[in-house]
Amino acid sequence: MMREQKWLKQRLLSSMLLIIFVFLNFYGMVFAALSPVPSPTSGGGETNLPRHPIASGEGKKIHSMTSSLPPCGGGLGRGETCQLTDDQGNPLHLKQPAQRIISLAPDITENLFAIGAGQQIIGVIQGSDYPTEAKKIPIVGSYTGLDLEAILALKPDLIVTWSTMFARQLQALTAFNIPIYVTQPKQLEDIPRTLRNLGCLTGQQQKANQAATDFLQTVTQIEHHYNNKTNNKPRVFYQIGAYTFMTVNKESWIQQVVAACGGQPLFTDTVTIAPTISLEAILTANPQIIISSASNDQWQTRWQRWPSIAAVKNGLLFTIPSDWLERASPRLLLGMRQVCTHIHFANDSR
């Protein structure tokens, strides 16, 4: 009997919490409908942006990245404040470094660990698998939605999210006065800037400054070593996954990497950020190198159906782990080195 009463109390409590969340979501939707649509930080709605943060500019030179970054500073101490603006233009003011952080994108989790703030993360999104320690952190949602009850139970003092991915749900948390920082990296230059801002928010600014500087220096070294070694820039098709001809346009940092490595990225002028290209268009473009983010090598077998394509004919089909190119974190340097190595090899083999 006692067990049944306890079970009924738990069910009643869960039902009450569900009613509260439904009410908050309804209130948020009504408020959003009556006001301009800002970002999650100020309680805004969603926009038609891509789910995954793949965005940048084509062929942009990287030598002058340091000039656009804020000056380095020390980490926040007790009693010091952090004032900055997130990637959607929303001001954020923390009176003390955040110690209980919810990370809502795998690259955000990686960046927090990269600046020494991994121990301050208390909740992550599904797919946050690097570094290994991230796998031990409680999961509070996936790309299909968040567990708001779990987030509130963890009592976070900062939520870091990407773009407007969870804007509708996160606006329900504005009633609890939880600070929300929105990242939306679009260029290679945005990665060190994000590291520095996260350093300010977490009190790890000294380590963040060093991580940002290391990233900038390495990018410049890679570009200097590989780019402009030849005037003959091979045509490069970047394929997302293995089963479709999906790629990225000039709004992607991946194309920026290809150009920095001395390649000529294809299909950069398409309207959508991640278009699916027709076979006819690929045959006409005749890529000399094909790079895929597939998880296995079966995609290479599929391309053998079209031996007239230069990349297929010459065996220049390369696989690079998606996490090395499609996450805006310092690990992108691994992917950049691989892209440059493949393009350099292709040039030498012709």
Side-chain angles (χ1 to χ4, degrees):
M1 187 69 177
M2 293 293 293
R3 289 183 178 179
E4 290 185 34
Q5 291 178 346
K6 184 176 181 180
W7 181 83
L8 288 173
K9 288 181 179 180
Q10 291 176 341
R11 293 287 295 175
L12 179 60
L13 178 60
S14 298
S15 298
M16 291 176 65
L17 287 171
L18 179 60
I19 292 172
I20 292 173
F21 285 123
V22 170
F23 172 78
L24 286 171
N25 273 307
F26 174 76
Y27 170 81
M29 286 187 288
V30 172
F31 179 80
L34 296 176
S35 61
V37 182
S39 73
T41 305
S42 54
E46 299 169 331
T47 58
N48 294 324
L49 289 174
R51 185 183 75 174
H52 197 281
I54 301 178
S56 166
E58 173 199 3
K60 189 170 183 178
K61 291 295 181 180
I62 312 167
H63 297 301
S64 60
M65 283 202 291
T66 53
S67 63
S68 61
L69 293 175
C72 298
L76 290 180
R78 186 177 300 276
E80 295 183 349
T81 64
C82 174
Q83 298 185 58
L84 48 75
T85 301
D86 70 13
D87 287 355
Q88 292 193 339
N90 304 294
L92 189 64
H93 180 196
L94 295 186
K95 294 183 179 180
Q96 59 185 9
Q99 298 297 324
R100 300 183 61 80
I101 304 169
I102 299 290
S103 170
L104 297 182
D107 61 310
I108 294 172
T109 301
E110 290 192 23
N111 287 331
L112 287 168
F113 271 96
I115 64 170
Q119 297 298 319
Q120 294 158 247
I121 307 175
I122 58 171
V124 296
I125 198 73
Q126 187 177 7
S128 296
D129 53 8
Y130 186 87
T132 303
E133 293 84 349
K135 298 179 181 180
K136 303 175 184 179
I137 302 175
I139 295 175
V140 296
S142 67
Y143 282 117
T144 60
L146 302 176
D147 186 340
L148 297 182
E149 183 178 351
I151 290 176
L152 287 175
L154 290 171
K155 299 180 180 179
D157 54 11
L158 177 66
I159 296 175
V160 185
T161 186
W162 178 79
S163 187
T164 56
M165 171 62 65
F166 304 109
R168 192 66 69 184
Q169 283 190 286
L170 288 177
Q171 71 177 4
L173 300 181
T174 58
F176 297 91
N177 296 319
I178 303 173
I180 299 174
Y181 178 79
V182 183
T183 68
Q184 192 172 331
K186 295 183 178 181
Q187 302 175 355
L188 287 175
E189 296 91 319
D190 292 332
I191 297 175
R193 179 180 52 77
T194 297
L195 292 171
R196 293 175 187 270
N197 284 351
L198 290 177
C200 178
L201 294 169
T202 61
Q204 301 286 352
Q205 196 158 345
Q206 184 174 357
K207 294 180 180 178
N209 287 337
Q210 187 59 56
T213 299
D214 291 344
F215 182 88
L216 291 167
Q217 291 178 346
T218 304
V219 168
T220 302
Q221 290 170 0
I222 294 174
E223 183 185 26
H224 178 73
H225 181 73
Y226 287 100
N227 198 10
N228 296 325
K229 282 195 171 184
T230 175
N231 293 325
N232 189 11
K233 297 181 180 298
R235 298 181 301 277
V236 181
F237 176 61
Y238 181 80
Q239 179 184 10
I240 299 177
Y243 302 105
T244 66
F245 296 137
M246 181 177 291
T247 187
V248 287
N249 70 359
K250 61 185 176 183
E251 297 299 319
S252 164
W253 62 63
I254 294 176
Q255 303 291 35
Q256 185 182 8
V257 167
V258 170
C261 290
Q264 177 187 345
L266 295 176
F267 307 112
T268 58
D269 293 328
T270 55
V271 176
T272 57
I273 293 178
T276 298
I277 309 301
S278 68
L279 174 60
E280 292 74 16
I282 293 175
L283 291 173
T284 300
N286 192 23
Q288 296 163 291
I289 298 173
I290 299 177
I291 298 174
S292 174
S293 61
S295 58
N296 55 62
D297 292 334
Q298 294 179 359
W299 69 277
Q300 296 178 346
T301 302
R302 184 187 181 196
W303 280 102
Q304 301 308 314
R305 304 175 190 174
W306 306 285
S308 63
I309 296 176
V312 178
K313 180 180 179 180
N314 297 317
L316 299 177
L317 308 175
F318 305 105
T319 302
I320 296 180
S322 60
D323 295 350
W324 289 9
L325 276 180
E326 296 173 6
R327 292 188 184 182
S329 74
R331 276 207 300 168
L332 191 147
L333 295 172
L334 297 174
M336 186 175 185
R337 287 187 185 279
Q338 285 291 306
V339 171
C340 289
T341 298
H342 295 324
I343 292 176
H344 181 68
F345 173 79
N347 277 329
D348 287 346
S349 63
R350 287 191 293 169

